[in-house]
Amino acid sequence: MKPIGTNRRVLLWAMVMLATLSEMLLALPALAQTGALSSWNDGSAKRAILEFVRSTTDQSNPNYVLPEDRISVFDQDGTLWVEHPMYTQVVYCLDRVPAVVAQKPQLKNIEPFKTVLAGNQEAIAKLSTQDLEKILNATMTGMSVEEFQIEARKWLETAKHPRWNRSYTELVYQPMLEVLQYLRDNAYRTYIVTGGGQDFVRVYAEKVYGIPPEQVVGTAQGTKFGYDKNGKPFLTRDPKLLLNDNNAGKPEGIHLMIGQRPYAAFGNSTGDREMLEYTGAGAGARLRMLVLHDDATREYAYGPAQRLPDTKVGTFTPALYEEAKKDGWTVISIKNDWKRIFAFD
Amino acid sequence: MKPIGTNRRVLLWAMVMLATLSEMLLALPALAQTGALSSWNDGSAKRAILEFVRSTTDQSNPNYVLPEDRISVFDQDGTLWVEHPMYTQVVYCLDRVPAVVAQKPQLKNIEPFKTVLAGNQEAIAKLSTQDLEKILNATMTGMSVEEFQIEARKWLETAKHPRWNRSYTELVYQPMLEVLQYLRDNAYRTYIVTGGGQDFVRVYAEKVYGIPPEQVVGTAQGTKFGYDKNGKPFLTRDPKLLLNDNNAGKPEGIHLMIGQRPYAAFGNSTGDREMLEYTGAGAGARLRMLVLHDDATREYAYGPAQRLPDTKVGTFTPALYEEAKKDGWTVISIKNDWKRIFAFD
């Protein structure tokens, strides 16, 4: 028998020690978690999150969930970051219009491009959904997936939110970043399930939320496979809508892209209702949370808190509020539950 | 200052030791990997896999790939498990016909159901693609997603392959299971990208391949969200085709569901061509492999090795073989590269 070499001996010893230490660490109370959710005030919302994680990760608890089944889903606009006064993606599309018209001058005098080019904010705010779709298709399709990524990334690096004069990617809610991290620390996979464009969100989700592209589910247009003149294959973004990831489209999109019912769902508007209901229809402990925008000073107040005039975003209706109360969903009050809203606060 | 308690001290010590040991382990050559790919003969195929992983996981190598970008994709039928004499999912659908007709007797005398019920294997083998689609829709849609999962799981537990008289889930290629594990051990995520039904494969992929539902991309039909009579929400399987995950549909499906270009792709037929091309069009080291079925004794010989009469599966054409050779894809010869084919060998 050959003597075991030094490297081999060190390795064996290290493996035994690692196993032993891992067990010791697991057996101790998770002290590192004391600092979790530090931007949350003590209250029913914070307690609901802690209690959900405690009961679903404790093997002796009847609500224990196997690590492979730990799926959580998050709406984005109004749930993970600011959605007022306009969805960030809509701002992007409007900002792209001049560049698109420069390439296709025939659009210059055609609506809705004419209105956007004129820059009349009041008229732009009144554009219909059909008009916005035309702008979306003109600015987000027809190019390769890589070209789109480059354009969107470039825009995100320079564009600023009018109120805070900061990048849109800075306007993410610090308490929600802590929830994402806390769930991941407890072996939950964290998915974004957004009504916004899947590929737009994928451009920044990893950097901003720690969520990789494959864990972003959103409204999705198709792509078309083809070859360039050198025979190199590439994908072109296509206007064909594959998934409208709003309302009933959210649970349908979850089934398509994840294939499992989530144990936790976070939303803030009627577009998230079906996702929250679907999450709650499973057995065992299910966490369903709704962000209520009730802080006009630090962010915005809308929905049941105060209806903003002419708002097209975040329709948190009284009926949704009633359903939440009746069915035991937890409402997160920005005003009362969040110590701070942004990392820069 | 409060003295640090025993638990806290043990924890701190353990954390420091863990960090140190983890670094030592990473610095040592991966001895545990010596046993990887043990069902592979030494040869160009095994070497291509080892070399790809070595170069893309070594930080000092120009082809190093960040862990978050490590995506690998695998066709299923004929690449991970046996596809002859008929795709397993087609066998499932045919077997389900009597139960469907029992619920809908009006189908009894209508084609193609009449032919299937008569049990004439020769006539069944000649059914057109349109006929098979009718059978697929009748047997795989109209029920809730949970009902479908229960039925498919039950069938898989009892159905046997006619040649080996073993469960279909035992007819997975042991060398490919080792590749999946080896890639995962090196921080690659392993995805199935199949022309087969996404939800069918999801029923067994975790148990059989260690691949969770969210990492199965396949031909996908839609679902419809609704409520039962008690107001409980559920999803019904819908005949509407969302993604035909064959040929150009494979890279399109990869973009939809994963959102990143893979670094490694495994296939065995012309249906995998575009996926392999798309994988290869990225920069750096890319692994593209084609399984060649050339072992009539231990499995089957078809494609360039030997054309089976009237085969509807696994069309590995001479043109595909030529493209593979020209573009540096690696062909896996079952006969020469695999020491054993199944775990039970």
Side-chain angles (χ1 to χ4, degrees):
Chain A
M1 204 177 130
K2 259 177 67 177
I4 299 175
T6 310
N7 270 2
R8 174 73 62 97
R9 239 182 307 163
V10 170
L11 177 69
L12 285 174
W13 175 78
M15 286 173 78
V16 171
M17 290 304 288
L18 254 183
T20 316
L21 291 171
S22 300
E23 269 177 58
M24 286 171 64
L25 278 175
L26 286 171
L28 288 169
L31 292 176
Q33 290 181 8
T34 311
L37 309 186
S38 63
S39 299
W40 291 72
N41 289 315
D42 288 326
S44 57
K46 180 176 180 175
R47 278 199 304 274
I49 300 165
L50 293 172
E51 171 55 23
F52 167 78
V53 169
R54 197 194 57 72
S55 71
T56 59
T57 57
D58 169 5
Q59 292 202 38
S60 67
N61 193 296
N63 288 328
Y64 176 71
V65 176
L66 289 170
E68 59 262 39
D69 297 333
R70 292 184 198 163
I71 303 278
S72 62
V73 290
F74 293 80
D75 169 57
Q76 188 194 217
D77 294 300
T79 299
L80 294 179
W81 74 353
V82 172
E83 64 183 350
H84 265 289
M86 213 180 248
Y87 293 132
T88 306
Q89 187 187 335
V90 175
V91 183
Y92 169 74
C93 292
L94 293 171
D95 279 4
R96 286 288 306 160
V97 166
V100 167
V101 173
Q103 287 199 308
K104 294 183 187 170
Q106 69 272 25
L107 295 177
K108 202 174 162 182
N109 295 308
I110 296 175
E111 289 297 354
F113 304 98
K114 199 177 157 185
T115 295
V116 177
L117 288 172
N120 179 338
Q121 293 305 317
E122 212 170 306
I124 290 171
K126 281 182 187 152
L127 289 174
S128 67
T129 306
Q130 287 78 0
D131 281 338
L132 288 175
E133 264 168 31
K134 277 182 204 165
I135 292 164
L136 193 139
N137 282 337
T139 54
M140 292 189 71
T141 69
M143 69 290 284
S144 76
V145 299
E146 287 83 8
E147 282 164 356
F148 170 73
Q149 285 163 357
I150 291 167
E151 279 161 13
R153 193 168 292 128
K154 209 163 63 185
W155 182 84
L156 285 160
E157 280 168 11
T158 54
K160 303 269 188 235
H161 190 283
R163 174 165 163 186
W164 285 276
N165 194 34
R166 285 183 180 267
S167 296
Y168 288 93
T169 51
E170 287 182 88
L171 297 176
V172 295
Y173 304 134
Q174 177 61 27
M176 294 305 286
L177 290 179
E178 293 169 8
V179 173
L180 289 169
Q181 192 56 52
Y182 181 61
L183 285 170
R184 289 196 291 259
D185 287 345
N186 285 280
Y188 274 90
R189 267 102 79 214
T190 53
Y191 279 82
I192 289 174
V193 178
T194 173
Q198 181 168 284
D199 283 349
F200 185 75
V201 181
R202 282 172 169 175
V203 169
Y204 54 84
E206 182 128 35
K207 200 173 154 193
V208 173
Y209 305 117
I211 294 179
E214 67 265 31
Q215 289 179 358
V216 176
V217 180
T219 294
Q221 288 160 298
T223 55
K224 276 233 176 306
F225 179 87
Y227 302 91
D228 71 12
K229 59 184 192 305
N230 303 314
K232 190 178 165 176
F234 71 104
L235 294 170
T236 304
R237 294 177 54 79
D238 194 74
K240 191 190 164 195
L241 186 68
L242 287 186
L243 174 66
N244 179 1
D245 201 43
N246 283 294
N247 304 100
K250 289 210 174 192
E252 292 164 6
I254 287 169
H255 181 75
L256 175 68
M257 308 272 294
I258 312 178
Q260 296 187 74
R261 192 195 300 269
Y263 276 83
F266 294 76
N268 81 306
S269 81
T270 51
D272 304 314
R273 192 183 136 208
E274 289 83 351
M275 173 171 83
L276 288 152
E277 291 173 344
Y278 181 67
T279 299
R286 304 275 165 168
L287 182 66
R288 292 151 301 165
M289 302 197 87
L290 271 177
V291 176
L292 175 67
H293 294 264
D294 58 357
D295 193 331
T297 312
R298 295 189 300 168
E299 202 235 8
Y300 295 101
Y302 54 104
Q306 186 188 313
R307 191 114 191 102
L308 287 182
D310 279 323
T311 182
K312 277 180 183 151
V313 296
T315 49
F316 185 147
T317 61
L320 185 69
Y321 205 8
E322 285 311 306
E323 182 171 352
K325 282 193 282 187
K326 190 172 75 61
D327 290 343
W329 309 356
T330 305
V331 172
I332 299 166
S333 157
I334 291 187
K335 195 173 173 180
N336 301 318
D337 287 315
W338 290 355
K339 250 180 231 171
R340 58 173 182 165
I341 299 187
F342 306 111
F344 56 80
D345 274 347
Chain B
M1 202 178 131
K2 260 178 67 176
I4 299 174
T6 310
N7 270 4
R8 174 72 61 99
R9 239 181 309 161
V10 170
L11 178 68
L12 285 174
W13 175 79
M15 285 173 76
V16 171
M17 290 304 287
L18 253 183
T20 315
L21 290 172
S22 300
E23 269 177 59
M24 286 171 64
L25 278 175
L26 285 171
L28 286 169
L31 293 176
Q33 290 181 7
T34 311
L37 310 186
S38 63
S39 299
W40 290 72
N41 289 316
D42 288 325
S44 57
K46 181 176 178 174
R47 277 199 305 274
I49 300 165
L50 294 172
E51 171 53 24
F52 167 77
V53 169
R54 196 193 59 73
S55 71
T56 58
T57 58
D58 169 6
Q59 292 202 38
S60 67
N61 193 295
N63 289 327
Y64 177 71
V65 176
L66 290 170
E68 59 263 38
D69 297 332
R70 293 185 198 163
I71 303 278
S72 61
V73 290
F74 293 79
D75 168 57
Q76 188 195 218
D77 295 301
T79 299
L80 293 179
W81 73 354
V82 172
E83 64 182 349
H84 266 288
M86 213 181 248
Y87 294 132
T88 306
Q89 187 188 335
V90 175
V91 183
Y92 169 74
C93 292
L94 293 171
D95 279 5
R96 286 289 306 159
V97 166
V100 167
V101 172
Q103 287 199 310
K104 294 183 188 170
Q106 69 273 25
L107 296 176
K108 202 174 162 182
N109 295 308
I110 295 174
E111 290 298 356
F113 305 99
K114 199 176 158 184
T115 294
V116 177
L117 288 171
N120 179 337
Q121 292 305 317
E122 213 170 307
I124 291 171
K126 282 182 187 152
L127 289 173
S128 68
T129 306
Q130 286 78 0
D131 281 338
L132 288 175
E133 263 168 31
K134 277 183 202 164
I135 292 165
L136 193 140
N137 281 338
T139 54
M140 294 189 70
T141 69
M143 69 290 284
S144 76
V145 300
E146 288 84 7
E147 282 164 355
F148 170 74
Q149 285 163 357
I150 291 167
E151 280 162 13
R153 194 169 290 128
K154 209 163 62 185
W155 182 84
L156 284 161
E157 280 167 11
T158 54
K160 302 271 190 235
H161 190 283
R163 173 166 164 184
W164 285 276
N165 195 33
R166 286 184 179 265
S167 297
Y168 288 92
T169 51
E170 287 182 88
L171 297 176
V172 295
Y173 304 135
Q174 177 62 28
M176 294 305 287
L177 291 179
E178 293 168 8
V179 172
L180 289 169
Q181 192 55 53
Y182 181 61
L183 286 171
R184 289 195 291 259
D185 287 345
N186 285 280
Y188 273 90
R189 271 101 80 213
T190 53
Y191 280 81
I192 290 174
V193 178
T194 174
Q198 181 168 283
D199 283 350
F200 185 75
V201 181
R202 280 172 169 174
V203 169
Y204 55 83
E206 182 128 35
K207 200 172 153 194
V208 173
Y209 305 116
I211 294 179
E214 68 265 30
Q215 289 178 358
V216 176
V217 180
T219 294
Q221 287 160 300
T223 55
K224 275 232 176 307
F225 179 88
Y227 303 91
D228 70 13
K229 59 185 193 304
N230 302 315
K232 190 179 164 175
F234 72 104
L235 294 171
T236 305
R237 294 176 55 78
D238 194 72
K240 189 189 164 195
L241 186 68
L242 288 186
L243 174 66
N244 178 2
D245 201 43
N246 283 295
N247 303 99
K250 289 210 172 190
E252 291 163 8
I254 287 169
H255 181 76
L256 175 69
M257 308 273 292
I258 311 177
Q260 296 187 75
R261 191 196 301 268
Y263 276 84
F266 294 74
N268 81 306
S269 80
T270 50
D272 304 314
R273 192 183 134 206
E274 289 83 351
M275 173 171 84
L276 288 153
E277 290 174 343
Y278 181 66
T279 299
R286 305 276 164 166
L287 183 65
R288 292 151 300 167
M289 302 195 87
L290 271 177
V291 176
L292 174 67
H293 295 264
D294 58 357
D295 194 330
T297 312
R298 296 188 302 168
E299 202 234 8
Y300 295 101
Y302 54 104
Q306 187 188 311
R307 190 116 190 102
L308 287 181
D310 278 322
T311 181
K312 276 180 184 152
V313 297
T315 49
F316 185 147
T317 60
L320 186 69
Y321 205 9
E322 285 311 306
E323 183 171 354
K325 282 193 282 185
K326 190 173 74 64
D327 289 345
W329 308 358
T330 305
V331 173
I332 300 167
S333 157
I334 292 188
K335 195 173 173 181
N336 301 319
D337 286 315
W338 290 356
K339 251 181 229 169
R340 56 174 184 166
I341 299 186
F342 306 112
F344 56 79
D345 275 346

